[in-house]
Amino acid sequence: MSKRPSFVPRLLCGAVLVALAGQALARDAAPAAPLTAVRAAHWIDAESGRERGPVVVLVQGERITAVNEGTDVPAGAKLIDLGDATLLPGLIDVHVHLTSDPTTGTGNYYQDALTLDVIDDAVIAPTLAKRTLDAGFTTVRNVGAPGYVDVSLRNAIDRGLIPGPRMLVATVPLGSTGGHADDTTGFSPDIRFEGPTGVADGVGAVRARVREDVKRGADVIKFMASAGVLSNEASVGAPQYTQAEMDAIVDEAHRWGKKVAAHAHGAEAIKMAIRAGVDSVEHCSFIDAEGLKMAKARGTYLDFDIYNDDYILAEYAKLGTPPAQIAKEKLVGRVQRENFRKAVEAGEKMAFATDAGVYPHGWNGKQFAKMVQWGMTPMQAIQSATWNAADLLGWRDRVGAIKPGLYADLVAVKADPLKDVSALEHVDFVMKGGVVDRSDIGER
């Protein structure tokens, strides 16, 4: 066998060094990003839970470089003057589904189920992402999507190809045969739904399913600990996995460095999920006193979606939704809100979670008023969608506050959200990563 001439590796190494040196010189020669100053009369310090002001937030590139009390603007900075508005960190929703929306289907439950597919979901997803960003939600956790559409959507947004919020994605949620993640439940056995499925039974199978989701790009693992409302099984809250299966899901996900969100309405399923070590429980409708104590002791986040009951009961019958599903929602709505109040009073860790996709995207902010109606102060509601949500995501080094080093994700409203939190239903200014997405105020 002939040997490669010894000078070839040296030539290749030399070429690589020259290329690297050229890149370094190019970086050194590149001009610094322009400085932008965002000025407002008031701002919400989400970390401390205080309203302060006036403030000038300095932005360079996609990050905040300084937060200066007062009104002075550095020479040469581009000014965005928001006047008497209140500036907040970009809002965070930890429970959305950006591949579905009740306003984008055919208007008929069974026609949607039998004629629309994952390509339809992929086509509408960018529009739904833009609506969410325009509403001031600059970060979301997408907890379930068909066919890994959420992975592609996240990646396209990250590459700057389409506008949308920062996304953490769960890909295909795990669930038991016949359970809330099994789309074939209630349909003829002759009907086959193609594509990736999260249905898995048994300890070995659920571990494999977690690994598959991680392989396909999941940032977080989502599983169905209990039955649900908008699916065709009879129960709304019965456990649908054994304790051993839940333990395996969480152990495997944490082994891969992924947090876990558990869909759970029923009291026993909630407690099983907490025992398994989940990072958050979604919905939490029938949580009991023991479950509240367990969650607080273990630091588990409780994510109540307490607006969408209004929309489901008002609109879903018009879409031909099976009456049994609407009946289940009637069991959940009021009790969930009463338990939300108990969780607030107990001092639980809570993040802002809407289940947008069950109701129209862009309406996420409607939940703030419900949270205040059912026990939170306006500041607590805002913190749930900023500093607390960032903690749940493990992203406090990126988002959730207005402080140096974090992404320049900012929203503003003309009204004082601490006096009327419903002001956050229609934000007036949105910046993501230093780029203004939309503005009804400010000189630019």
Side-chain angles (χ1 to χ4, degrees), residues 85-150:
T86 299
L87 192 65
L88 303 92
L91 302 173
I92 304 169
D93 191 336
V94 303
H95 191 128
V96 304
H97 300 279
L98 284 174
T99 55
S100 64
D101 189 292
T103 67
T104 59
T106 66
N108 181 282
Y109 175 89
Y110 287 104
Q111 187 173 344
D112 283 356
L114 298 174
T115 65
L116 301 182
D117 64 13
V118 69
I119 297 175
D120 295 284
D121 296 331
V123 168
I124 66 169
T127 297
L128 304 179
K130 181 63 163 68
R131 288 180 190 171
T132 301
L133 180 60
D134 286 350
F137 287 82
T138 53
T139 301
V140 300
R141 187 177 64 166
N142 202 86
V143 285
Y148 310 113
V149 173
D150 53 350

Side-chain angles (χ1 to χ4, degrees), residues 286-424:
F286 300 118
I287 192 168
D288 60 16
E290 183 185 9
L292 290 171
K293 290 179 182 178
M294 290 174 61
K296 190 167 186 179
R298 295 171 183 246
T300 309
Y301 269 89
L302 302 179
D303 301 336
F304 290 81
D305 51 326
I306 61 168
Y307 168 74
N308 62 23
D309 178 64
D310 290 6
Y311 189 87
I312 292 170
L313 296 184
E315 302 295 333
Y316 269 49
K318 303 173 188 176
L319 304 176
T321 303
Q325 294 185 16
I326 296 173
K328 287 193 286 183
E329 180 59 36
K330 291 177 180 177
L331 293 174
V332 165
R334 175 79 185 195
V335 175
Q336 185 193 44
R337 292 172 176 185
E338 290 171 349
N339 284 329
F340 174 86
R341 185 191 297 278
K342 292 176 183 176
V344 174
E345 292 171 350
E348 302 288 344
K349 295 173 72 172
M350 302 171 74
F352 189 93
T354 66
D355 211 1
V358 168
Y359 68 91
H361 292 281
W363 289 21
N364 312 59
K366 288 181 178 290
Q367 182 162 285
F368 284 109
K370 288 294 179 185
M371 297 171 88
V372 172
Q373 178 185 345
W374 288 93
M376 280 189 171
T377 66
M379 182 61 80
Q380 286 175 320
I382 290 168
Q383 286 181 301
S384 79
T386 52
W387 192 240
N388 292 358
D391 180 50
L392 171 57
L393 303 183
W395 274 18
R396 276 187 173 173
D397 60 339
R398 308 180 197 188
V399 297
I402 301 175
K403 57 189 300 187
L406 273 59
Y407 285 118
D409 294 353
L410 305 170
V411 301
V413 288
K414 296 174 185 176
D416 183 350
L418 297 182
K419 293 180 180 177
D420 181 6
V421 78
S422 66
L424 295 175

Side-chain angles (χ1 to χ4, degrees), residues 141 220-221 223 250 253-254 257-262 273-274 276-282 295 298-303 349 391-393:
R141 187 177 64 166
V220 60
I221 299 300
F223 76 93
V250 177
H254 287 173
K258 308 298 180 182
K259 292 195 175 190
V260 183
I274 294 172
V278 299
D279 300 280
S280 67
V281 178
E282 313 301 301
R298 295 171 183 246
T300 309
Y301 269 89
L302 302 179
D303 301 336
K349 295 173 72 172
D391 180 50
L392 171 57
L393 303 183

Side-chain angles (χ1 to χ4, degrees), residues 146-294:
Y148 310 113
V149 173
D150 53 350
V151 174
S152 297
L153 180 65
R154 176 199 65 195
N155 294 347
I157 291 170
D158 287 349
R159 294 199 301 271
L161 300 178
I162 57 174
R166 306 181 194 284
M167 293 179 65
L168 290 92
V169 304
T171 70
V172 183
L174 282 72
S176 65
T177 297
H180 192 57
D182 189 343
D183 292 335
T184 65
T185 303
F187 289 90
S188 166
D190 294 328
I191 296 175
R192 299 286 186 268
F193 292 95
E194 300 296 330
T197 176
V199 175
D201 302 303
V203 168
V206 298
R207 284 190 182 275
R209 183 64 248 175
V210 169
R211 293 170 185 169
E212 182 70 17
D213 279 359
V214 173
K215 170 184 174 181
R216 299 299 178 186
D219 301 300
V220 60
I221 299 300
K222 163 82 173 296
F223 76 93
M224 309 305 187
S226 85
V229 173
L230 299 177
S231 49
N232 290 321
E233 73 270 45
S235 172
V236 68
Q240 293 189 333
Y241 271 133
T242 66
Q243 189 67 62
E245 288 170 317
M246 294 191 200
D247 291 349
I249 292 169
V250 177
D251 177 72
E252 193 63 40
H254 287 173
R255 188 183 305 274
W256 289 88
K258 308 298 180 182
K259 292 195 175 190
V260 183
H263 158 109
H265 287 283
E268 184 56 34
I270 292 168
K271 288 182 283 192
M272 293 171 69
I274 294 172
R275 289 189 195 103
V278 299
D279 300 280
S280 67
V281 178
E282 313 301 301
H283 310 299
C284 310
S285 301
F286 300 118
I287 192 168
D288 60 16
E290 183 185 9
L292 290 171
K293 290 179 182 178
M294 290 174 61

